[in-house]
Amino acid sequence: MAILTFLISLAGATMLLLYAVRMVRTGIERSYGASFQRLLTGRQSHLQAGMMGLTLAIVLQSSAAVALLASGFAASGYLAFPTGLAIVLGGDLGSALIIQILSFKLDWLVPMLLAAGGYLFVKTEAKKARQLGRILMGVAFILISLRFLREAMDPIRDSAFLPAIAGYLARDYITAFLAGGALAFVMHSSVAAILMCVTLVQIGALPFAAGLSLVLGANFGSAFIPVWLSRGMDLQARRIPYANLALRGTWAVICLFGANLALRQGWLGDPQGGQMLVSAHLAFNAALLLLALPLCTPLGGVFARLFPDPAAPPAPPAQPPGRPVSALKQGSYGAPAQAVANLTRELLRMADLAGAMFRPVLELYEGGSKEQIRAVQQMDAEVNACLAGIRQYVAAIPAEAFSKDQLKTARSLMEYAIRLETAGDVVARRLTVLAEEMRKKELRFSRDGWLEITRMHEAILANLQLASNVLISDDLESARLLSLEKTELKRMERDSRKRHLRRLQSGGRESFDTSDIHLETLRALREFNSHIAAVAYPVLYRNGQLLETRLIEEMRPEETD
């Protein structure tokens, strides 16, 4: 009975720990996710890239999330292999620092974190305040889960079961190493897995030697997580996780044999306790970062040969190099589901084009050349061509072969294509024109004004990604989130306008010079985001989550006089 109670308690504590880690990561990604691309893809040395990865891992509470971000940007061509690998190695050290912080007994913080986090999440409407509440509650849940984990050991601490397992793992360090790797991979969180090992050593349930082998195995197993999660990405994206796995795995195996030999010979004395285990984990990751940073550039050529780019088929003469071809073949529909899938793929291509137009807007405002501005404006012709192809494709759909719902879906997709084309016009005919005006007049926004525009731009980039997810998945929760983000951006635009007017009243010279451009940019950004977020409306409407109108339908007679 004690074993059953232990297993149930252990499962509950583990699931709460995993949920809490994910809760913290979700809150941070929703608040600052769009800032990560700008931070990751900036020009930096290998050491700076490692420190950036360390910071992001602490923020996201996940080295795997940092690895996936770096892999995604590498696949898109925004990040070189050496820089991406340095970021991932830094992320591993950042994950170790999280464990150092969370390994302290901070149970006294739990009530304050729950009170503050619950109030912010439940009682406030501002996006960042709500997500801060989510983060605080997530940290509280992590601390609660660790306390549950310690208490789960009580029923079996004095039984023969736990000492037998602990003794076996201490003697057979290879089995302990493999068990730690499996634990980290199954939990999909090195932070959660290593915190569990540290807690078991802290309460005396495991000897230090077994805990060290488990932690080294968890370090190795955690490197498999981004490899597994990136398996569907391009080869260029998968090089970074595999390189990290090779470096991390080699160092983990070397440290496993070296550390166990040193422990058995007594060269390390008699290390005890969870804090010593955390220090060993920190030393492992810090040493790996310092040893591997010089190898980042040479490994680029090695993994380029191991994962060569596939030979690309020659593009049609009329198609610009590097641009994906249209998913639509006019007059060829096949099954209705296939036709709808073709439309969705073409809309994704169109959304990518609109995003490619919008992404460099801040660079154009800061100092874009005439040629750069013109290049963005010329991309609008491709967006217009996408709309023309979608309109022609939908107009020629054989109505007799499609059901009423399928025809309705096709038309709603065409309506979203119209919104995307209009979003492209906002960039080509308004934002780039404003950027050109700033270039000619050599104007600069005030520091606060530029920060406000930058935050809106980052939020819209995140919404672009979310809109693509809604288009692919038709997911109600994602659609609701996108609609909420649209409301949040409207609030950001309104607040920025008010702060701008206050700056005018205070006599700021830069604010006077750029007042018209600032206000027009805010309106254009809000309009662009509204067009992007329109993909959520059909999903919300089908699920009864959208009102026809916000007006009161009937008024009392005295109100009409």
Side-chain angles (χ1 to χ4, degrees):
M1 188 64 184
I3 300 298
L4 180 60
T5 303
F6 161 71
L7 292 175
I8 293 173
S9 301
L10 180 64
T14 302
M15 289 301 105
L16 179 59
L17 180 59
L18 289 173
Y19 172 76
V21 171
R22 181 176 178 180
M23 188 174 182
V24 174
R25 185 166 68 246
T26 300
I28 294 171
E29 286 176 344
R30 290 184 179 179
S31 295
Y32 306 103
S35 304
F36 295 156
Q37 177 176 345
R38 180 167 54 88
L39 293 173
L40 285 174
T41 57
R43 294 181 180 178
Q44 49 199 335
S45 67
H46 291 174
L47 182 59
Q48 289 173 326
M51 293 303 100
M52 180 59 64
L54 182 151
T55 305
L56 288 177
I58 293 175
V59 170
L60 293 174
Q61 296 213 342
S62 171
S63 57
V66 175
L68 287 177
L69 280 171
S71 299
F73 292 139
S76 302
Y78 297 120
L79 200 62
F81 174 91
T83 305
L85 182 55
I87 288 171
V88 173
L89 292 168
D92 293 329
L93 180 56
S95 179
L97 288 172
I98 297 169
I99 294 166
Q100 171 68 79
I101 296 168
L102 295 177
S103 63
F104 297 123
K105 288 189 177 181
L106 302 172
D107 292 349
W108 57 273
L109 266 178
V110 170
M112 292 191 298
L113 291 172
L114 287 175
Y119 176 81
L120 290 172
F121 189 75
V122 175
K123 296 295 185 180
T124 60
E125 296 297 330
K127 172 190 171 184
K128 290 191 183 297
R130 282 176 56 83
Q131 298 309 323
L132 177 60
R134 183 194 296 271
I135 294 165
L136 294 177
M137 287 194 295
V139 174
F141 290 158
I142 290 175
L143 298 175
I144 292 171
S145 67
L146 294 177
R147 187 172 66 193
F148 284 174
L149 193 60
R150 291 192 293 267
E151 294 173 355
M153 298 297 160
D154 289 339
I156 63 165
R157 188 175 299 176
D158 299 326
S159 68
F161 171 74
L162 188 59
I165 295 295
Y168 176 73
L169 292 177
R171 292 189 303 272
D172 190 350
Y173 57 84
I174 294 179
T175 299
F177 179 82
L178 295 175
L183 181 66
F185 183 77
V186 169
M187 295 178 75
H188 263 45
S189 171
S190 61
V191 172
I194 295 174
L195 277 174
M196 179 181 292
C197 297
V198 169
T199 303
L200 293 176
V201 173
Q202 277 179 335
I203 64 175
L206 279 179
F208 178 86
L212 180 60
S213 298
L214 283 168
V215 166
L216 290 172
N219 275 280
F220 185 33
S222 67
F224 280 97
I225 299 172
V227 169
W228 173 258
L229 294 177
S230 65
R231 65 191 185 279
M233 294 184 179
D234 295 338
L235 285 176
Q236 192 174 359
R238 292 160 59 195
R239 291 171 188 159
I240 292 176
Y242 273 103
N244 180 55
L245 174 62
L247 290 170
R248 200 166 181 75
T250 302
W251 185 235
V253 171
I254 291 172
C255 289
L256 174 70
F257 289 104
N260 278 279
L261 176 63
L263 285 171
R264 295 187 180 193
Q265 296 295 328
W267 297 339
L268 301 179
D270 186 24
Q272 298 289 333
Q275 185 54 50
M276 184 65 71
L277 187 59
V278 173
S279 300
H281 176 56
L282 270 171
F284 170 87
N285 284 279
L288 176 60
L289 178 63
L290 293 175
L291 292 172
L293 278 180
L295 302 176
C296 290
T297 300
L299 284 175
V302 174
F303 280 87
R305 289 191 293 272
L306 291 174
F307 296 89
D309 292 322
Q319 188 71 22
R323 297 288 187 197
V325 298
S326 173
L328 302 181
K329 189 176 181 181
Q330 301 296 338
S332 177
Y333 295 94
Q338 183 61 46
V340 172
N342 290 340
L343 279 170
T344 302
R345 286 172 55 203
E346 185 68 1
L347 271 175
L348 283 172
R349 185 171 82 97
M350 193 174 179
D352 287 342
L353 287 170
M357 293 178 65
F358 180 77
R359 195 169 289 112
V361 162
L362 292 186
E363 298 173 17
L364 301 183
Y365 270 68
E366 279 190 299
S369 66
K370 189 174 183 179
E371 291 73 21
Q372 290 173 316
I373 293 172
R374 187 173 300 165
V376 172
Q377 291 172 336
Q378 289 173 347
M379 292 176 66
D380 190 43
E382 297 181 59
V383 178
N384 295 341
C386 286
L387 175 60
I390 291 173
R391 186 187 292 119
Q392 181 181 350
Y393 190 83
V394 173
I397 285 178
E400 66 279 358
F402 285 64
S403 68
K404 184 177 179 181
D405 287 342
Q406 289 166 339
L407 286 172
K408 187 176 181 180
T409 299
R411 288 170 185 146
S412 69
L413 291 175
M414 186 180 71
E415 289 174 3
Y416 185 54
I418 295 172
R419 300 296 291 264
L420 287 175
E421 190 275 337
T422 308
D425 289 343
V426 171
V427 177
R429 301 180 184 179
R430 293 171 61 183
L431 290 171
T432 55
V433 171
L434 293 170
E436 175 69 13
E437 184 178 348
M438 290 194 68
R439 185 188 69 83
K440 288 180 177 178
K441 296 181 179 180
E442 298 182 350
L443 298 175
R444 288 291 182 271
F445 289 116
S446 66
R447 185 180 62 84
D448 291 338
W450 179 245
L451 182 60
E452 292 161 10
I453 290 175
T454 300
R455 286 174 176 169
M456 287 185 67
H457 184 268
E458 291 174 347
I460 294 171
L461 285 177
N463 291 346
L464 272 165
Q465 184 63 45
L466 185 56
S468 296
N469 293 342
V470 173
L471 187 60
I472 295 171
S473 65
D474 225 24
D475 177 56
L476 175 60
E477 182 60 30
S478 297
R480 285 181 59 85
L481 179 58
L482 183 58
S483 181
L484 291 172
E485 293 293 339
K486 177 187 173 183
T487 303
E488 173 66 16
L489 196 99
K490 288 169 63 177
R491 185 195 63 78
M492 292 173 67
E493 185 257 350
R494 183 177 63 249
D495 291 348
S496 178
R497 190 170 61 246
K498 291 178 180 177
R499 285 192 289 268
H500 175 73
L501 294 177
R502 285 198 293 268
R503 287 194 293 272
L504 290 179
Q505 291 173 347
S506 65
R509 178 66 184 175
E510 290 177 322
S511 297
F512 271 106
D513 292 341
T514 60
S515 180
D516 291 341
I517 297 178
H518 184 95
L519 296 175
E520 181 60 29
T521 298
L522 294 180
R523 286 191 291 269
L525 291 175
R526 174 178 168 179
E527 184 179 341
F528 181 91
N529 186 73
S530 296
H531 292 310
I532 294 300
V535 70
Y537 299 154
V539 181
L540 295 173
Y541 187 77
R542 283 198 306 271
N543 290 275
Q545 301 289 305
L546 198 64
L547 298 175
E548 290 281 358
T549 177
R550 290 183 292 180
L551 291 174
I552 299 174
E553 293 185 2
E554 295 183 5
M555 299 180 66
R556 293 190 297 271
E558 61 271 17
E559 292 178 340
T560 61
D561 295 338

